[in-house]
Amino acid sequence: MGRMPCCEKVGLKKGPWTPDEDKKLLDYVRKHGHGIWRSVPAKAGLERCGKSCRLRWINYLKPDIKRGNFSAEEEHTIIQLHALLGNKWSIIAAHLPQRTDNEIKNYWNSNIKKRLIRMGLDPITHKTIKKNTFETSDVCYDNPKDTINVCHVAQWESARHEAEVRGSMVQAGSGSSYFSGLILSKIPTQPCLSSHSLSTENSTAYNMYALVLATNHDFRLPVSTSSIPTLPAVSNIPQITNTESLVSYKVDNNDMGASSQSETEIEGCVSNLQDDDIMVAVEAFRRTRSESMKELFNESTSM
DNA sequence: AAGGTGTGCAACCGCGCATTC
DNA sequence: AGAATGCGCGGTTGCACACCT
């Protein structure tokens, strides 16, 4: 049995919306809210599909939508997030206040994508394109240095998946994505080789744990302070030490933001982190989370 | 001036997921 | 449990306009 159509399409208008239609939809939603979109057209006196009404509202009529040219900062954010998440336009849009996924997608396809190609970068992988073959140049095992790079690319992919999951969580959550945006905005578009010592990595990983906890909007999800390794504070990077109190504060107050003092502390810490620090931290976070999952899995199978 | 081509973007379509019954 | 339903997402289409020949 096939899927039922979203609405009775016979006699319904398609194509560009007229100012009159916009007014009808706007007036109706302002007065009654959209409710079930399927029923909106009849109630608002529109000969449109409910889906079409929803799209029109989300992309154009919603009062808090910013239209017009993208700023350099917005463009930079889009490129960074696309490198991390791929074509997850809705998640990217969640990090750009007042911009819609459709608008970002269009801007990417008509503008940024072409510019990346002109610059010799693959718009999908964000890697350089081989001049003669147009193949991406990420696999070359002859040189040990290249092997390290390949390994780093794989780590980057893992980190990207982690970010994607986090992005979904942010989207599913009900609150602000401010801190997540702050972290994501610090993650470079390309993996880079790091010369950090293990001690620095440990410390930065700890910071990342704290930041992830601080940005985790739903503490029922499997990220807990118990999974934070005990690590020595041996870095010039300041360490967030009051994660527990931060978490309890947020839970107790059922609030998306921590105390203003904690906010300042986190924001300052994130701002001070360098790209290499973030890379190392994301990888350390991924590795330890993976180990935690293995432990959990072993526990559950041995029961 | 007219036809062809390229570009930007609003809107549509189909699918997957979540929820409801 | 599974069918029906609604919503949201990403890919694609098609139109209007600008630019080129």
Side-chain angles (χ1 to χ4, degrees):
Chain A
M1 186 177 146
R3 185 186 166 81
M4 296 281 284
C6 71
C7 52
E8 219 15 89
K9 302 207 177 201
V10 182
L12 290 182
K13 190 164 177 262
K14 285 169 72 173
W17 282 64
T18 64
D20 185 48
E21 287 177 312
D22 280 347
K23 189 175 180 305
K24 281 180 180 174
L25 182 59
L26 200 58
D27 287 347
Y28 176 81
V29 177
R30 273 181 182 161
K31 277 184 191 168
H32 307 98
H34 62 74
I36 296 171
W37 280 110
R38 196 184 166 97
S39 64
V40 167
K43 291 177 181 170
L46 290 161
E47 293 175 344
R48 291 270 181 179
C49 168
K51 210 169 175 177
S52 180
C53 293
R54 177 186 155 267
L55 202 69
R56 185 67 184 169
W57 172 257
I58 288 174
N59 286 332
Y60 298 93
L61 300 177
K62 246 168 84 175
D64 56 346
I65 287 176
K66 182 165 121 192
R67 304 198 62 77
N69 293 341
F70 282 74
S71 67
E73 195 182 340
E74 286 176 316
E75 193 178 301
H76 184 63
T77 304
I78 293 169
I79 294 169
Q80 283 187 320
L81 291 175
H82 187 272
L84 265 174
L85 306 167
N87 296 356
K88 300 291 178 192
W89 305 117
S90 58
I91 301 174
I92 294 172
H95 291 278
L96 285 165
Q98 301 173 309
R99 295 290 189 183
T100 68
D101 53 356
N102 204 40
E103 196 179 12
I104 292 168
K105 178 174 63 182
N106 283 332
Y107 186 65
W108 175 267
N109 286 327
S110 64
N111 195 313
I112 301 176
K113 192 174 166 182
K114 287 171 188 169
R115 213 183 315 155
L116 287 178
I117 291 168
R118 276 202 299 273
M119 288 163 66
L121 295 170
D122 185 315
I124 300 167
T125 62
H126 292 244
K127 295 167 194 166
T128 52
I129 299 168
K130 272 187 179 174
K131 279 176 186 171
N132 295 331
T133 62
F134 289 95
E135 291 173 54
T136 53
S137 57
D138 59 338
V139 180
C140 175
Y141 299 100
D142 296 341
N143 186 332
K145 201 176 168 184
D146 291 332
T147 311
I148 295 167
N149 197 34
V150 168
C151 178
H152 231 76
V153 168
Q155 290 177 355
W156 182 252
E157 275 303 305
S158 299
R160 180 174 145 154
H161 288 144
E162 182 77 36
E164 189 172 338
V165 171
R166 297 246 147 249
S168 304
M169 286 159 60
V170 167
Q171 196 183 26
S174 56
S176 156
S177 60
Y178 175 67
F179 288 129
S180 308
L182 209 57
I183 292 174
L184 285 168
S185 72
K186 293 295 292 183
I187 300 177
T189 55
Q190 289 287 308
C192 47
L193 294 170
S194 171
S195 57
H196 280 262
S197 67
L198 184 65
S199 59
T200 305
E201 174 174 338
N202 283 347
S203 178
T204 318
Y206 192 97
N207 281 338
M208 180 57 84
Y209 265 104
L211 291 167
V212 166
L213 281 165
T215 58
N216 187 22
H217 300 310
D218 187 346
F219 294 99
R220 291 165 301 181
L221 288 165
V223 177
S224 73
T225 51
S226 63
S227 65
I228 300 180
T230 308
L231 298 167
V234 283
S235 169
N236 53 349
I237 300 165
Q239 211 172 27
I240 296 172
T241 53
N242 63 337
T243 315
E244 289 283 358
S245 60
L246 193 65
V247 171
S248 60
Y249 175 89
K250 290 174 76 171
V251 171
D252 290 344
N253 291 278
N254 191 27
D255 188 5
M256 296 322 299
S259 66
S260 58
Q261 193 184 346
S262 297
E263 276 182 9
T264 311
E265 190 177 355
I266 296 160
E267 188 172 352
C269 185
V270 175
S271 301
N272 288 334
L273 292 177
Q274 299 304 305
D275 290 347
D276 270 13
D277 300 324
I278 296 286
M279 279 306 302
V280 173
V282 168
E283 170 54 18
F285 173 74
R286 185 200 64 76
R287 194 168 54 237
T288 317
R289 280 291 302 283
S290 170
E291 285 164 9
S292 300
M293 292 303 287
K294 274 186 200 163
E295 281 173 24
L296 279 171
F297 180 76
N298 290 337
E299 277 175 26
S300 64
T301 51
S302 64
M303 282 169 76

